[in-house]
Amino acid sequence: GKTWTGFANSEEQFADSFVGQRIQPFWIEDEARQIAGTNFVVDQRFREFAVRDGRLITGQQQYSGAAAARLVIEALGR
């Protein structure tokens, strides 16, 4: 019942194409979309993107650390 984010299929496809083979045995977006009641959201490929749903804070990928940190600070009421 939460909204969250993680590595997008478009990012997985880019990484696989870059190295010329499949890197991960499963993709987070594909797996997340199979979970009943979850709301998995993504933004543009390799752009900063983070989501807060209550106390759950998630970032899409490595470029989302600062955005996730801002949400943590907001959640702490600072």
Side-chain angles (χ1 to χ4, degrees):
K2 294 286 188 179
T3 296
W4 59 289
T5 190
F7 217 63
N9 282 351
S10 64
E11 294 163 331
E12 299 279 13
Q13 291 166 344
F14 180 86
D16 287 357
S17 293
F18 185 77
V19 298
Q21 65 183 20
R22 184 152 182 152
I23 299 170
Q24 299 296 333
F26 62 90
W27 289 357
I28 294 169
E29 183 175 349
D30 286 341
E31 297 298 317
R33 295 197 186 281
Q34 295 178 37
I35 301 170
T38 195
N39 182 30
F40 188 81
V41 295
V42 297
D43 199 29
Q44 296 178 35
R45 184 176 69 187
F46 297 114
R47 298 290 173 107
E48 179 182 275
F49 182 63
V51 175
R52 176 181 176 202
D53 187 347
R55 293 174 47 179
L56 176 65
I57 298 169
T58 53
Q60 185 168 318
Q61 33 46 23
Q62 66 270 29
Y63 301 110
S64 302
R70 287 190 294 274
L71 292 176
V72 169
I73 292 167
E74 175 186 292
L76 293 172
R78 308 278 171 153

